[in-house]
Amino acid sequence: MSYLAQQQQGQDKEELKPKLDADPAGVCLSGGDWLPNGNASGWGEFISLTPERSEKYYQYNLQLSDTVGAFRKVPKTRHASCDTHNYSLPPFLEARVSVVISFHNEARSMLLRTIVSLLSRTPADYLHEIVLVDDASQDKTLLEELRAWLGTLGRPRFIFLTNKQRQGLISSRNMGAALASGDYILFLDSHCEVNDGWLEPLLERVSHRPNLAVSPVLDPIDPVTLRYQKGNEMLRGGFDWSLHFHWHKRELTNQELPETPYSSPVFAGGVLLMSREWFLKLGSFNANLKIWGGESIELAIKLWLCGGQIEIVPCSRIGHIFRRHHAFDFPLQYPEHPMEQELSPAQATYLHNSKIIAESWLDEYKSMFYALKPAARRIPLNHTSHQLQQLRRESRCHRFHWYLRHVSPELSSMLYEFAATGTLRNEDRCLHHAGVKNSRQQLILVSCYHDDITQWSLFRSTGQLSTQREFCLSVEVPLEVTLKPCLRTNDTASMSQRWHRMGTSLVHNQTHLCLDNPLKGRLELTACRWHAVSQSFQFALEMERQT
Ligand code: UDP
Ligand code: MN
């Protein structure tokens, strides 16, 4: 029974009946029952103090969030067999869970719904405490008001922490974890709704395997309609060589059902549960990482390499608002550095964090990262990594090739599938996909030093030359070089998308003509001329020797 349900036992059942509101996001319950004084006006008063802000500020529908209420029913998204499974749970005194939520400028209604969903749908015996870290939000009275109400509940314990200065998600989570005292820690975002029965399937998995970390399947909540949708349990988390997160297709093995827990190279986003002791032993989130970005990839790599595993558990579901853009600013990283002219603070922060991951864990494979992210070479790092070296030594962590071999065949196959990869340079310019204009994909040559410059991959087996967004360099009648969605190789039209290398030239298979840039900035196909500079296209990383 959840904590709130326990609290409310003995009260008049009629009073506890949820009130149904008509609401575009679906049937929802009024928040009144869960609020200070037990009435709906408590909710209204509480959220009315959200600083007036545009939706751009939050990157979701604030008005709707305010009207949805503190608690609503959410659709059952997990497989039916999850409801009938008899979970073998550890004794609750050995599996006390601390939930750590760090937030920066979250709307009151959203944060409260996250907390209320936890209180309502978590077995009280296991929910030891909730640690709320306010990372210097603009709403200065929010935490105090929450303390005045939640602090009096008795159980679970609440810990409140306010950063006077913005610390970022990574160190805020670490500070929260340092204050926690449960056996397990769950890291959660401040715009989530846990679904019924979310905790039991996770605890069942970790209880006998202390080095296992688990993620639920994240159910997307639409930022505009707040509709709670079913997340996909057929995906594994991963990353590419530029250290960007990617989903990979999950293949079912013989006996496996879609709802069976499955191993994953990386967590499902930033929501994860693991033993607190194990998290601290791994050195927490790498404290040299700044603000936001890369922290769960870093934790995943070190966890696997130092003797742990990661699983995604489809019977556990947590709703999360996936926003299209960051809802927060990144502080300037290098105010005096020329870097700042080229990269936005968000890009510079992500690149800085990625460089730390590459330097800490990728060993000799870090050259792949630098080939794809040449700007990272110029990012200054001002710290030492003694702690990590000690961890690697003491925990006898594997080297990165072990991860390639045993954990992420996807990452490893990227090494072998490509004949060449990275930026594609012709003289001093690089080939770039600049989005859509007049319903055509724009293919241009620009300075190679922009951070978001297109990364290309030439596939060994198919000859396709593809962007990371799966657009392929194609040739249309009459000999026009274009960018089209990559076609399957059993489609005969895909012949127009096949290329091969001759020296540094790119030869189109069908026409035997070479990619050429005869007038600066215009791509054409012309007769191949040996050593013609305008036909010389070099990838950042060539896997095959050029003759
Ligand atoms: N966050 C924070 N400090 C920051 C940036 C983010 O505490 O400087 C919080 C944010 O409020 C959210 C969590 O960190 O609860 C993850 O951020 P976000 O949801 O923007 O990341 P995403 O889910 O898009 O990966
Ligand atoms: Mn989030």
Side-chain angles (χ1 to χ4, degrees):
M1 189 185 295
S2 76
Y3 170 72
L4 282 173
Q6 269 186 358
Q7 282 260 306
Q8 287 161 349
Q9 243 182 2
Q11 288 182 34
D12 183 349
K13 287 277 180 309
E14 204 46 44
E15 236 181 69
L16 294 177
K17 253 196 179 158
K19 303 169 200 132
L20 295 182
D21 288 338
D23 153 31
V27 176
C28 79
L29 306 179
S30 154
D33 294 334
W34 315 115
L35 280 152
N37 317 324
N39 60 43
S41 65
W43 161 254
E45 213 175 292
F46 179 76
I47 60 170
S48 70
L49 296 169
T50 296
E52 283 264 4
R53 290 286 162 184
S54 65
E55 290 182 3
K56 199 163 161 246
Y57 183 82
Y58 294 108
Q59 292 290 328
Y60 51 70
N61 191 333
L62 172 66
Q63 255 187 335
L64 191 54
S65 171
D66 285 0
T67 50
V68 157
F71 182 78
R72 61 170 176 168
K73 261 189 191 155
V74 292
K76 193 169 76 133
T77 48
R78 66 184 188 175
H79 197 270
S81 75
C82 304
D83 294 332
T84 51
H85 178 82
N86 196 4
Y87 293 96
S88 136
L89 294 177
F92 57 78
L93 281 176
E94 292 168 23
R96 297 165 307 151
V97 176
S98 302
V99 180
V100 174
I101 303 174
S102 165
F103 62 94
H104 175 70
N105 293 345
E106 197 65 82
R108 289 183 164 212
S109 53
M110 194 57 82
L111 175 63
L112 201 59
R113 198 175 308 109
T114 306
I115 298 169
V116 169
S117 78
L118 274 168
L119 296 178
S120 319
R121 301 197 176 108
T122 312
D125 290 336
Y126 290 102
L127 186 57
H128 173 60
E129 64 193 358
I130 298 180
V131 185
L132 291 172
V133 186
D134 176 355
D135 189 17
S137 297
Q138 201 154 339
D139 184 347
K140 295 295 173 212
T141 55
L142 166 60
L143 210 68
E144 274 316 305
E145 286 179 37
L146 278 177
R147 188 202 298 271
W149 169 47
L150 297 169
T152 60
L153 288 182
R155 270 186 71 200
R157 188 157 79 113
F158 275 87
I159 297 177
F160 301 90
L161 187 70
T162 306
N163 294 336
K164 293 237 155 26
Q165 288 217 321
R166 173 100 174 274
Q167 303 293 324
L169 161 72
I170 299 163
S171 49
S172 301
R173 280 189 167 184
N174 280 347
M175 289 190 284
L179 293 177
S181 57
D183 303 289
Y184 295 99
I185 297 190
L186 171 84
F187 292 104
L188 193 64
D189 280 11
S190 44
H191 35 254
C192 290
E193 284 165 85
V194 298
N195 207 324
D196 287 318
W198 70 277
L199 181 62
E200 293 86 336
L202 298 181
L203 282 183
E204 181 182 61
R205 298 305 293 175
V206 292
S207 68
H208 297 296
R209 291 157 71 191
N211 290 353
L212 178 71
V214 284
S215 277
V217 168
L218 291 184
D219 287 331
I221 301 175
D222 187 283
V224 178
T225 63
L226 297 194
R227 189 170 292 279
Y228 188 110
Q229 294 148 325
K230 182 180 182 310
N232 189 347
E233 69 272 24
M234 295 304 290
L235 300 173
R236 289 156 38 99
F239 54 89
D240 59 23
W241 285 103
S242 38
L243 297 178
H244 280 289
F245 181 87
H246 278 280
W247 290 111
H248 298 301
K249 251 213 203 105
R250 166 193 179 200
E251 306 285 348
L252 293 181
T253 56
N254 261 348
Q255 304 286 312
E256 216 180 353
L257 299 169
E259 62 269 32
T260 311
Y262 55 99
S263 94
S264 177
V266 178
F267 303 102
V271 180
L272 63 110
L273 179 140
M274 66 189 287
S275 133
R276 184 172 62 91
E277 202 179 315
W278 178 218
F279 175 75
L280 296 177
K281 187 162 178 218
L282 287 170
S284 309
F285 289 110
N286 186 325
N288 295 315
L289 304 178
K290 293 179 183 170
I291 302 289
W292 177 101
E295 71 287 344
S296 48
I297 292 182
E298 202 266 353
L299 182 63
I301 297 175
K302 72 181 166 196
L303 189 135
W304 276 109
L305 291 183
C306 305
Q309 299 107 35
I310 296 173
E311 278 184 358
I312 296 178
V313 184
C315 283
S316 174
R317 299 277 170 163
I318 295 185
H320 169 257
I321 299 206
F322 286 90
R323 296 185 281 204
R324 297 202 178 94
H325 303 282
H326 288 301
F328 46 84
D329 294 330
F330 285 76
L332 282 183
Q333 294 299 332
Y334 311 104
E336 305 299 323
H337 202 274
M339 205 83 221
E340 210 69 58
Q341 315 295 315
E342 295 160 23
L343 305 179
S344 70
Q347 288 170 332
T349 308
Y350 201 88
L351 207 56
H352 167 270
N353 291 357
S354 307
K355 177 169 180 165
I356 289 187
I357 301 175
E359 289 292 338
S360 313
W361 297 105
L362 261 48
D363 301 325
E364 63 274 26
Y365 294 92
K366 70 183 179 189
S367 58
M368 281 294 283
F369 166 74
Y370 285 115
L372 295 172
K373 291 280 167 195
R377 287 191 190 279
R378 293 176 293 133
I379 294 255
L381 296 186
N382 320 317
H383 68 270
T384 52
S385 57
H386 295 318
Q387 242 182 335
L388 269 187
Q389 284 158 6
Q390 196 180 347
L391 169 72
R392 287 189 80 155
R393 229 183 10 255
E394 285 177 2
S395 300
R396 304 225 179 117
C397 306
H398 295 287
R399 290 178 60 77
F400 195 69
H401 70 80
W402 186 91
Y403 186 89
L404 289 179
R405 203 154 158 192
H406 298 281
V407 183
S408 185
E410 293 89 355
L411 192 60
S412 147
S413 72
M414 284 178 211
L415 276 182
Y416 302 106
E417 265 176 16
F418 303 153
T421 189
T423 50
L424 186 52
R425 177 191 285 263
N426 174 252
E427 296 187 68
D428 60 343
R429 317 216 117 214
C430 280
L431 195 56
H432 182 60
H433 176 201
V436 190
K437 199 170 158 193
N438 303 331
S439 67
R440 285 181 75 82
Q441 305 298 332
Q442 293 292 297
L443 194 58
I444 53 176
L445 284 146
V446 293
S447 154
C448 298
Y449 291 104
H450 286 287
D451 181 62
D452 64 347
I453 189 93
T454 304
Q455 312 285 339
W456 300 84
S457 296
L458 179 62
F459 284 80
R460 234 181 258 276
S461 57
T462 66
Q464 280 172 314
L465 179 52
S466 156
T467 68
Q468 285 180 316
R469 299 197 168 158
E470 300 191 3
F471 283 99
C472 275
L473 196 70
S474 312
V475 175
E476 278 189 330
V477 183
L479 294 188
E480 194 187 345
V481 181
T482 59
L483 204 54
K484 297 264 164 189
C486 298
L487 297 167
R488 288 178 173 272
T489 45
N490 57 8
D491 183 338
T492 46
S494 76
M495 293 305 286
S496 67
Q497 298 186 336
R498 296 184 180 216
W499 302 82
H500 65 270
R501 297 287 264 162
M502 210 170 66
T504 57
S505 309
L506 273 165
V507 187
H508 186 237
N509 282 17
Q510 265 181 337
T511 56
H512 304 291
L513 297 173
C514 276
L515 189 67
D516 200 347
N517 173 28
L519 306 163
K520 276 214 182 302
R522 220 177 90 200
L523 287 170
E524 290 181 5
L525 274 187
T526 56
C528 296
R529 284 166 289 125
W530 198 237
H531 295 314
V533 176
S534 66
Q535 291 185 348
S536 171
F537 287 84
Q538 272 158 325
F539 291 88
L541 201 63
E542 307 269 357
M543 313 296 194
E544 288 169 352
R545 206 155 62 88
Q546 303 305 307
T547 47

